[in-house]
Amino acid sequence: MSNESPKRIFQRIASSLGFSGRDRTFFMKCGGSYLICNLQKSLGSRSFYINGGICYIALLPDEDLEQSPASAYDNQTARFPIHVDFRAENIPNTPINQAQIDKATSNQDTSAIEKIIFIALDSMIKIICNHGDREEVRRLKRAKIFPAIINRQV
């Protein structure tokens, strides 16, 4: 069993899947949008959350285009906007859930963490790059298939 941290595993897998970014936030362009993923450490435990976001390029004012999508989850006032916000376990048909993440981290099971992160990021790519346009995201939300937080302008 390796001692690689979830953050390092996340960075390695995100990069291998074609994401760009830094630290805990990575992104990729999918057609007219950016898919943004973020590894958020849980407060009070070893666990973590995998956040996802969609930013529609057509909805961005010019000043936002100067920001890097890697700043989307920064705790700063000037950060890249996210139009649709979700957690990896809320992606339709994903086989992962938060209980699995919590169990893998509490057991320090690096291979399970690696598998979970790969499935989460791969699922994000598949759903967002294939079904991430504004109309489809709203349809999935209305059908209660994708419980995302959707910005009003979407």
Side-chain angles (χ1 to χ4, degrees):
M1 186 182 307
S2 166
N3 286 333
E4 192 174 20
S5 70
K7 178 181 169 181
R8 293 278 182 237
I9 294 169
F10 177 81
Q11 292 169 334
R12 179 171 44 80
I13 292 173
S15 294
S16 74
L17 289 172
F19 285 90
S20 299
R22 59 179 160 74
D23 198 32
R24 295 178 179 271
T25 304
F26 283 72
F27 64 93
M28 73 168 37
K29 192 170 180 190
C30 292
S33 63
Y34 283 105
L35 166 59
I36 303 165
C37 60
N38 169 265
L39 185 78
Q40 176 188 344
K41 179 151 179 21
S42 175
L43 296 175
S45 77
R46 292 182 143 146
S47 197
F48 57 88
Y49 304 98
I50 302 170
N51 301 310
I54 305 171
C55 176
Y56 296 104
I57 297 167
L59 298 178
L60 294 176
D62 289 340
E63 61 269 13
D64 284 338
L65 289 171
E66 296 171 11
Q67 296 285 328
S68 167
S71 71
Y73 286 94
D74 287 351
N75 290 325
Q76 301 172 9
T77 54
R79 62 182 192 175
F80 202 76
I82 295 174
H83 297 115
V84 179
D85 200 10
F86 58 92
R87 287 256 165 96
E89 67 265 20
N90 293 331
I91 295 170
N93 302 315
T94 189
I96 63 168
N97 59 53
Q98 191 59 46
Q100 291 170 318
I101 295 171
D102 295 344
K103 180 180 177 186
T105 54
S106 68
N107 292 335
Q108 298 180 339
D109 187 343
T110 307
S111 63
I113 293 169
E114 186 167 349
K115 182 179 178 183
I116 288 166
I117 291 173
F118 177 82
I119 290 169
L121 298 182
D122 188 56
S123 296
M124 284 183 183
I125 293 168
K126 288 176 180 164
I127 189 75
I128 303 312
C129 292
N130 295 320
H131 303 285
D133 66 84
R134 292 161 62 188
E135 184 178 319
E136 183 68 4
V137 167
R138 286 191 308 265
R139 185 191 71 74
L140 291 171
K141 170 85 173 182
R142 279 192 307 270
K144 300 184 186 314
I145 295 171
F146 186 38
I149 299 169
I150 301 175
N151 188 302
R152 214 174 328 167
Q153 68 191 107
V154 173

